[in-house]
Amino acid sequence: MWLLLGILIGIIALGIIWWARKSNTSLQWYDWVIGLAGLAMLLFTVQNYFASVAEGESKAASMFLLVAGLPALILLAVVWQLVIRRVKKA
């Protein structure tokens, strides 16, 4: 599963880089930092969710989705909005 997830993340990263070059969009350094932090938190959440479900702790799994998954999605949404607003401004 992790191999396929790594391949998928690589394809998505390559697509973002190609899109940025094609549309002449400049991604700032903080876009990358916030995006990588959000992605790391999301991967951490997915791993711990499946581990908690495998151990039979469904309540802990759902709480972990709320505690770590929600901030990860918020960070990724912030990066998305920063890039979209920069594209619309240019």
Side-chain angles (χ1 to χ4, degrees), residues 13-30:
L14 186 62
I16 290 171
I17 292 170
W18 279 349
W19 170 79
R21 287 187 179 179
K22 181 181 173 188
S23 64
N24 292 329
T25 302
S26 65
L27 296 174
Q28 301 296 322
W29 65 270
Y30 51 84

Side-chain angles (χ1 to χ4, degrees), residues 83-90:
V83 172
I84 294 298
R85 289 180 183 178
R86 194 174 306 119
V87 167
K88 286 183 180 179
K89 188 177 180 182

Side-chain angles (χ1 to χ4, degrees), residues 1-9 42-51:
M1 178 176 124
W2 290 107
L3 175 67
L4 295 175
L5 190 60
I7 291 170
L8 180 66
I9 290 172
L42 188 65
L43 290 175
F44 181 66
T45 302
V46 168
Q47 189 275 330
N48 282 304
Y49 173 77
F50 284 122

Side-chain angles (χ1 to χ4, degrees), residues 56-70:
E57 298 289 336
S58 61
K59 184 163 174 75
S62 61
M63 285 301 292
F64 200 82
L65 283 177
L66 180 66
V67 170
L70 189 60

Side-chain angles (χ1 to χ4, degrees), residues 72-85:
L73 292 178
I74 289 171
L75 284 176
L76 293 173
V78 165
V79 171
W80 176 58
Q81 283 299 311
L82 285 172
V83 172
I84 294 298
R85 289 180 183 178

